[in-house]
Amino acid sequence: MHADLTIALDMMGGDYGPRSSIPAALAAVEKHPRLILLLCGNRTVLESALEKANALSHPRLIVKHCDEVVTNTCDPAQALRNKRNSSMRVALDLVKSGQAQACVSSGNTGALLSMAHYVLKMLPGIKRPALITSVPTEKKQPVYLLDLGANIQCDPETLLQFAIMGSIVAGAALKLDKPKVHLLNIGLEDIKGHDGIKQAARLMQGCSAINYQGYCEGSDIFSGKSDVIVCEGFVGNVALKTCEGIAKLIMFKFTKALKKHLFYRSLAFLLRPVIKKLYKRVNPDQYNGASLVGLRGIVVKSHGNASKKAFMAAIEEAAREVDRRIPDKIQAAFEEMAPIEETSVRS
Amino acid sequence: MHADLTIALDMMGGDYGPRSSIPAALAAVEKHPRLILLLCGNRTVLESALEKANALSHPRLIVKHCDEVVTNTCDPAQALRNKRNSSMRVALDLVKSGQAQACVSSGNTGALLSMAHYVLKMLPGIKRPALITSVPTEKKQPVYLLDLGANIQCDPETLLQFAIMGSIVAGAALKLDKPKVHLLNIGLEDIKGHDGIKQAARLMQGCSAINYQGYCEGSDIFSGKSDVIVCEGFVGNVALKTCEGIAKLIMFKFTKALKKHLFYRSLAFLLRPVIKKLYKRVNPDQYNGASLVGLRGIVVKSHGNASKKAFMAAIEEAAREVDRRIPDKIQAAFEEMAPIEETSVRS
């Protein structure tokens, strides 16, 4: 890990606030000796929690007081206007000013997107930020899926930019030169999908910056044939949340089926650890968090009901993205392509 | 079951053609004494298969010879123009002419949609047909999900019509007076989603023909809180296929996790029946098929790789829809609403 890695945490966001963010912060500094965490939130609340954990004077846990909180029901536009002293906004401001190299929040996704966009600004040449996460596959390596809801509807150029950004994230994480990119559609044949999808496919086919492999379907997401899957935010959000729903249903039905038969009931107890581990693995949104890419800074969104483990996983993800210099790499990739575009515009 | 219920089957469609459709037809007439099946397909192939099963002279299995097949790669527009003597088209023609009360196909979905639309025509007042299926929930009753891909993009009025048709299908199947309808979105709050979704929500709120309950998310699909969930075809198709993918992944990971430990390995064998049953249950697209609603006739689409059991389940679903008089009920509901609309147009 990077020397003196500083990450700002929105301690008050999500369903549990400091109840999960404090234990996560403690575990993170314990595990990573060079990690410095800027804890943004109500000083009284945070210091009382740190005191209880005998960590009030921890040299790498620094409280940044702010007295407002962006709640889950807060309208993003209002949060942007009125919550300038919220834990979420202060964490983003610390990234903007360079005092932190990344930030993590489990708060209101819409508000985080608006604020991050406003505070950090887009990297040059990039139209829209995207939410990206990795999901498990049948192979050893996961697949990166974007957009997950930052942009409900996307034009073809935006989908192409997502493919490029997704390739950089997946390439750095999976150590791949040419990550395989698929475009999510409702069939594999050229005639499938609406005009926007077909046009995005043509743009991707003609783009040398990515290794475009064609369409994939919902049933292919977890097969391991792709490294990056691109879709509109509405579709990606529904797909990921549907996974969450079906994973819960399967666990529910499985436990029920086991309990139904006396013979299996005795096994249910023994199987619980396997089932629990599996549930976590197939429910990645819950576990890894999602990253916002395309901005001049690193922002990781942890799940709204992130546990200590989930929030800590998001902190570690932010640290990895600092090490991997994701924003620099995205900027370099777009700068490399830009002169060609500019030339063609000028000529 | 209805007296003398006649169903036309496209015997040549799907990945397995007669290899699954013949055993399914045999099992269906065996189980349902009043069921008459019109087997559309190549006479030589079908009669040879029937002969092998000692059923060549079965009084309720009638071969309707046609020498063309709509393949899975066939373009829907071309299928419509050039495949007038295909097993798919002949099965639909038999419904149109009244010789059959419903038809079942596991062939090319796009071609089936185009042909069914062209041959059977829409019910009066309905803009577009929709593909609907039921998926399991944590409660006893399933939830009906539409559209699954008949209409990639839908305007708000079309989504409202889908909500009305879905309510009729779910009401008849689940014996409910006022099925609860949700609109699939990327969040529960009013501000979430694009303009088309928000406008559809307003239309549904103002429609007395349905019991609209607001937005739901992908993670709510299987919770049992809805009886009907409405979405655009692109989204519904991705959601359903993602379920297929994640169900497969969970089974794969679970079996792998069990095999990893010697202790669990011995359990894997014992657990196989539970896992298999569960997989089928959470993979409804595979098992039940989907119905095309809004047309002047009943069309059930079985999964492309439908097994004997899946194809038979689709035949039984078609029979139930005949009994429930789904097209009549949809027509009645739209006729009841139509005078109001006409009055308002005239005034």
Side-chain angles (χ1 to χ4, degrees):
Chain A
M1 194 173 275
H2 209 275
D4 277 357
L5 183 56
T6 307
I7 297 177
L9 306 183
D10 167 10
M11 300 298 284
M12 315 303 281
D15 300 345
Y16 306 118
R19 273 185 292 158
S20 68
S21 61
I22 285 280
L26 288 166
V29 288
E30 173 84 13
K31 189 172 166 192
H32 303 287
R34 280 168 176 163
L35 191 62
I36 298 167
L37 297 177
L38 308 180
L39 314 181
C40 308
N42 184 289
R43 183 181 298 280
T44 319
V45 173
L46 296 180
E47 287 187 347
S48 136
L50 287 172
E51 196 165 18
K52 266 187 204 156
N54 271 332
L56 189 54
S57 54
H58 194 293
R60 291 182 287 117
L61 290 175
I62 299 149
V63 173
K64 295 279 177 183
H65 176 69
C66 36
D67 43 24
E68 288 178 318
V69 175
V70 176
T71 61
N72 285 340
T73 53
C74 192
D75 176 68
Q78 287 193 335
L80 191 57
R81 262 197 308 276
N82 305 327
K83 300 278 186 177
R84 288 180 206 171
N85 197 30
S86 62
S87 52
M88 183 185 280
R89 175 66 180 266
V90 169
L92 287 163
D93 285 337
L94 288 165
V95 178
K96 170 77 180 171
S97 67
Q99 290 173 266
Q101 290 151 284
C103 76
V104 176
S105 173
S106 63
N108 184 323
T109 310
L112 183 65
L113 288 170
S114 303
M115 275 192 186
H117 193 172
Y118 176 79
V119 172
L120 298 175
K121 310 282 185 255
M122 301 305 303
L123 284 167
I126 298 180
K127 295 170 80 167
R128 303 281 310 155
L131 263 175
I132 183 168
T133 197
S134 63
V135 301
T137 70
E138 288 178 26
K139 305 270 172 71
K140 226 175 179 175
Q141 293 193 323
V143 56
Y144 280 80
L145 188 64
L146 79 166
D147 173 46
L148 303 172
N151 303 277
I152 305 178
Q153 292 171 308
C154 303
D155 61 32
E157 290 77 20
T158 302
L159 290 173
L160 172 64
Q161 292 199 338
F162 289 177
I164 298 167
M165 293 197 287
S167 294
I168 290 163
V169 172
L174 309 174
K175 297 188 173 60
L176 295 171
D177 245 6
K178 286 269 170 200
K180 292 191 288 285
V181 178
H182 285 93
L183 183 58
L184 189 60
N185 198 355
I186 59 167
L188 303 179
E189 304 84 8
D190 285 345
I191 52 154
K192 290 290 170 77
H194 51 74
D195 288 344
I197 286 281
K198 289 176 192 165
Q199 211 180 321
R202 278 193 295 273
L203 289 177
M204 289 183 195
Q205 257 156 1
C207 176
S208 60
I210 57 166
N211 176 16
Y212 178 64
Q213 300 277 311
Y215 294 138
C216 75
E217 296 184 277
S219 46
D220 302 320
I221 296 176
F222 312 95
S223 68
K225 77 176 194 179
S226 320
D227 302 309
V228 180
I229 294 175
V230 179
C231 59
E232 287 191 323
F234 196 99
V235 173
N237 187 286
V238 169
L240 199 70
K241 285 184 179 158
T242 303
C243 288
E244 206 180 310
I246 195 96
K248 213 175 134 216
L249 178 75
I250 291 177
M251 296 309 151
F252 177 84
K253 293 256 181 199
F254 190 67
T255 312
K256 212 173 139 191
L258 287 178
K259 276 184 187 158
K260 222 173 169 179
H261 303 281
L262 188 65
F263 170 70
Y264 288 123
R265 210 183 302 165
S266 54
L267 299 185
F269 175 74
L270 300 168
L271 285 169
R272 207 177 297 163
V274 184
I275 294 176
K276 252 186 134 173
K277 198 175 153 195
L278 183 69
Y279 181 58
K280 272 185 189 158
R281 275 190 143 177
V282 296
N283 206 348
D285 181 36
Q286 175 76 21
Y287 203 65
N288 292 330
S291 305
L292 206 49
V293 290
L295 298 171
R296 298 173 190 260
I298 294 166
V299 181
V300 175
K301 167 72 179 76
S302 190
H303 198 280
N305 57 22
S307 62
K308 167 197 157 183
K309 268 195 177 174
F311 201 80
M312 183 175 162
I315 298 172
E316 291 182 305
E317 174 61 29
R320 279 192 296 269
E321 287 183 31
V322 175
D323 278 345
R324 288 174 192 152
R325 302 183 306 109
I326 297 295
D328 293 352
K329 282 181 183 153
I330 292 177
Q331 182 164 0
F334 278 81
E335 273 169 3
E336 207 171 293
M337 292 188 300
I340 308 163
E341 279 177 31
E342 276 174 27
T343 316
S344 66
V345 169
R346 277 178 201 154
S347 65
Chain B
M1 194 174 274
H2 209 277
D4 276 358
L5 182 57
T6 308
I7 297 177
L9 307 183
D10 167 11
M11 300 297 284
M12 314 302 281
D15 300 345
Y16 305 119
R19 273 185 293 157
S20 68
S21 61
I22 284 281
L26 288 166
V29 288
E30 173 84 12
K31 189 172 166 193
H32 303 287
R34 278 168 177 164
L35 191 63
I36 298 167
L37 297 177
L38 309 180
L39 315 181
C40 309
N42 184 289
R43 182 181 299 280
T44 319
V45 173
L46 296 180
E47 287 188 347
S48 136
L50 287 172
E51 196 165 19
K52 266 187 203 156
N54 270 332
L56 190 54
S57 54
H58 194 295
R60 292 182 288 115
L61 290 175
I62 298 149
V63 173
K64 296 279 177 182
H65 176 70
C66 35
D67 44 24
E68 287 177 319
V69 176
V70 176
T71 60
N72 285 341
T73 52
C74 191
D75 176 68
Q78 287 191 337
L80 191 57
R81 263 198 309 276
N82 305 328
K83 300 278 185 174
R84 287 180 208 171
N85 196 32
S86 62
S87 50
M88 183 184 280
R89 174 65 180 265
V90 169
L92 287 163
D93 286 338
L94 287 166
V95 178
K96 170 76 180 173
S97 66
Q99 290 172 266
Q101 291 149 284
C103 75
V104 176
S105 172
S106 62
N108 184 325
T109 309
L112 183 64
L113 288 170
S114 302
M115 275 191 185
H117 194 170
Y118 177 80
V119 171
L120 298 175
K121 310 282 184 254
M122 301 305 302
L123 284 167
I126 298 179
K127 294 169 81 166
R128 303 282 309 155
L131 263 174
I132 184 168
T133 197
S134 64
V135 301
T137 70
E138 288 178 26
K139 305 270 173 69
K140 226 173 179 175
Q141 293 191 323
V143 56
Y144 280 80
L145 188 64
L146 78 166
D147 174 45
L148 303 172
N151 303 276
I152 304 179
Q153 291 171 308
C154 303
D155 60 33
E157 289 76 20
T158 303
L159 290 173
L160 173 64
Q161 291 199 339
F162 289 177
I164 299 167
M165 293 197 286
S167 293
I168 290 163
V169 172
L174 309 175
K175 297 189 173 58
L176 295 171
D177 245 5
K178 285 270 170 197
K180 291 191 289 284
V181 178
H182 284 92
L183 182 59
L184 189 60
N185 199 355
I186 59 165
L188 302 179
E189 303 84 8
D190 286 345
I191 51 154
K192 290 290 169 75
H194 51 74
D195 288 345
I197 285 280
K198 288 175 191 167
Q199 211 181 320
R202 278 193 295 273
L203 290 177
M204 289 182 196
Q205 257 156 1
C207 177
S208 60
I210 57 166
N211 176 17
Y212 178 64
Q213 300 277 311
Y215 295 138
C216 75
E217 295 184 275
S219 46
D220 303 320
I221 296 175
F222 313 95
S223 68
K225 76 175 196 180
S226 320
D227 302 309
V228 179
I229 295 176
V230 179
C231 59
E232 287 191 323
F234 196 99
V235 173
N237 186 286
V238 168
L240 199 69
K241 285 184 180 161
T242 302
C243 287
E244 205 181 310
I246 194 96
K248 213 174 135 215
L249 177 74
I250 290 178
M251 296 310 152
F252 175 84
K253 293 257 181 199
F254 190 67
T255 312
K256 212 174 139 190
L258 287 177
K259 277 185 188 157
K260 221 172 169 180
H261 302 281
L262 189 64
F263 170 70
Y264 288 123
R265 211 183 302 164
S266 55
L267 299 185
F269 175 74
L270 299 168
L271 285 169
R272 207 176 297 161
V274 184
I275 295 177
K276 251 187 138 172
K277 198 176 155 194
L278 183 70
Y279 182 58
K280 271 184 189 160
R281 275 189 144 180
V282 295
N283 206 347
D285 180 36
Q286 175 76 23
Y287 202 66
N288 293 330
S291 304
L292 207 49
V293 289
L295 298 172
R296 297 173 190 261
I298 295 166
V299 181
V300 175
K301 166 73 180 74
S302 190
H303 197 282
N305 57 21
S307 62
K308 167 197 159 184
K309 269 194 176 176
F311 201 79
M312 182 174 163
I315 297 171
E316 291 183 305
E317 174 61 28
R320 279 192 296 269
E321 288 182 32
V322 174
D323 277 345
R324 288 176 193 151
R325 302 185 304 109
I326 298 293
D328 292 352
K329 282 182 184 154
I330 292 177
Q331 183 163 1
F334 278 81
E335 273 169 3
E336 207 172 292
M337 292 188 299
I340 310 163
E341 280 178 30
E342 276 174 25
T343 316
S344 66
V345 170
R346 278 176 199 154
S347 65

